[in-house]
Amino acid sequence: MKMLRNVRKYFLLTGQQKKLFVEAYLTLGFYRIAILTRSFKGLVTELNQNEKSTRTDIPYEKKQLALLIGGAVTAAANHTPWESACLVQALSAQRMLRKRTIAGIFHLGVTMKSAENDPLAAHAWLVCGGKILTGDAGHENYTILSTFSWKLEQKF
């Protein structure tokens, strides 16, 4: 029954939303494998580590597309048979934004947990045009350790 409901939801999407959902699903799979097989440093070699958080202002049209990308990544992450946690989502959305020359930043943060066996918890979230696209839930409870941005290659 749930699967049928999900299929109906998919067919109610616009053509652009369907394409973004499929791209997000595939990109999530790519980054899930990458996280399991590569070091974190290897995953972020193409990114710039910033000392502080910077706001990226983008044109309205690109901001709307960024919101669609964030929605597609979040929706696709809820339907993968593998774990698509916050870091996988942030890296996937970053790749999709960069492909479309849309600037943004993603944060890595930590917080203290009450559990003795695992005292720290980490979280990643991606921001574009002042809006959080992935990892919004609970991000305010984390202290930012690193902030990353990406270079945009202009298409000629």
Side-chain angles (χ1 to χ4, degrees):
M1 189 70 169
K2 182 180 177 184
M3 186 174 177
L4 184 60
R5 194 173 334 123
N6 290 336
V7 171
R8 282 188 193 141
K9 282 183 184 180
Y10 178 80
F11 283 107
L12 291 174
L13 298 174
T14 66
Q16 181 185 33
Q17 289 171 321
K18 287 176 187 172
K19 288 178 186 174
L20 290 173
F21 180 88
V22 170
E23 181 183 350
Y25 192 90
L26 295 172
T27 307
L28 287 163
F30 171 82
Y31 275 107
R32 179 62 182 152
I33 291 169
I35 284 173
L36 293 173
T37 59
R38 295 173 65 189
S39 68
F40 178 75
K41 189 174 183 178
L43 292 171
V44 296
T45 56
E46 298 176 339
L47 303 177
N48 301 320
Q49 189 169 6
N50 304 316
E51 302 232 347
K52 60 180 181 173
S53 175
T54 57
R55 183 181 166 111
T56 54
D57 292 320
I58 59 174
Y60 177 79
E61 298 79 24
K62 287 195 173 194
K63 190 174 199 176
Q64 295 307 306
L65 179 55
L67 291 171
L68 287 174
I69 289 169
V73 168
T74 302
N78 290 328
H79 293 88
T80 59
W82 58 85
E83 182 183 10
S84 293
C86 57
L87 182 59
V88 173
Q89 290 180 44
L91 290 169
S92 297
Q94 177 276 323
R95 183 179 198 136
M96 292 174 69
L97 291 171
R98 192 172 102 195
K99 176 180 171 182
R100 292 161 176 84
T101 66
I102 300 174
I105 55 174
F106 88 85
H107 302 288
L108 291 175
V110 295
T111 190
M112 296 298 285
K113 288 172 57 176
S114 59
E116 288 182 26
N117 58 345
D118 190 14
L120 290 176
H123 186 54
W125 62 101
L126 187 133
V127 181
C128 182
K131 299 282 185 186
I132 298 174
L133 301 185
T134 66
D136 187 23
H139 77 280
E140 62 279 345
N141 298 324
Y142 292 82
T143 302
I144 296 173
L145 286 182
S146 296
T147 298
F148 297 88
S149 63
W150 49 94
K151 292 182 182 173
L152 302 176
E153 289 107 28
Q154 297 299 322
K155 296 177 183 175
F156 296 98

